[in-house]
Each structure stands twice: as C-alpha cells, then as structure tokens.
Amino acid sequence: MSDATGRGQGHQTSAQVIEQSEREEGIVRAGGTPVTHERPEDWGWHAEAGKVGRIVGWLFVLVMLSFLVGNHEGRVEDLWVLGFALALVVMLLWDVRRRKNSWRSR
C-alpha cells in the first residue's frame, strides 16, 4: 500500500532514469553513478581449475570406486556409485580430448 508521501507502488523519489551507452536504460539512485562496463572478473572467479583440478578429479574417481569395498549387502548402491564414477571418467576423458584438440579447427 502506498502511504501519504507518495512512496510505494513503484514511486521512488530519489531515483532517476538514465540512458547508458550500449546498455538498456537504467535507474540510478541519488548519489550513484551508472555502470559503464562490467567485466567477468568483477563478478568472481572465471578460470579453469587447471592441472590440479584434473588430478583431483581422478582422485575422486578412485575414492568413489573405493566405496564399492565394504560390508553392505545390497547392490543397488554399487550401481549408483559406478554410474557416478563412470560419468566423472567420461567428463575427464572429454576434457583430455578437448585440451588435446583445442588448437585445431573442427
């Protein structure tokens, strides 16, 4: 509900609509500055995990396969563990192939 000051229902008295180059129009609060350009680095980490990430991936495969050894009697969980380990192996092998052929055109 709107109160007596006219605020509410989308009425912001301290904001103004501005035109930004190469962007849609935006609303800037009083005392603020419009954003001119945002780089991916400004929003967080964007790189690959690299060699360490691939090594850790293969270690995860070994850890998951070690889950098959144990005192459990049901085999349904073995199928799930094997399925997840196989999916991880497929992703790691795809990454190896992608890195190997990355300089070539398709």
Side-chain angles (χ1 to χ4, degrees):
M1 271 311 230
S2 140
D3 57 7
T5 63
R7 299 183 66 118
Q9 297 182 359
H11 295 96
Q12 295 182 357
T13 58
S14 64
Q16 63 180 356
V17 177
I18 62 164
E19 294 288 333
Q20 297 182 16
S21 63
E22 299 180 12
R23 295 176 60 98
E24 297 178 7
E25 68 180 21
I27 297 178
V28 177
R29 294 181 187 204
T33 59
V35 176
T36 57
H37 178 67
E38 295 175 346
R39 298 176 46 110
E41 298 89 30
D42 297 340
W43 289 94
W45 184 67
H46 65 282
E48 292 186 6
K51 189 176 186 179
V52 174
R54 290 185 283 277
I55 292 171
V56 170
W58 287 109
L59 290 175
F60 273 127
V61 170
L62 293 176
V63 167
M64 291 182 76
L65 292 177
S66 72
F67 291 159
L68 297 174
V69 179
N71 60 357
H72 57 277
E73 297 180 12
R75 293 296 172 210
V76 174
E77 61 269 14
D78 289 348
L79 296 175
W80 281 97
V81 169
L82 284 173
F84 282 118
L86 180 64
L88 189 53
V89 166
V90 167
M91 286 189 284
L92 288 168
L93 291 176
W94 174 78
D95 182 58
V96 168
R97 184 178 183 277
R98 180 188 59 86
R99 284 184 296 111
K100 180 180 177 184
N101 296 329
S102 63
W103 62 275
R104 300 179 189 167
S105 62
R106 292 187 176 224

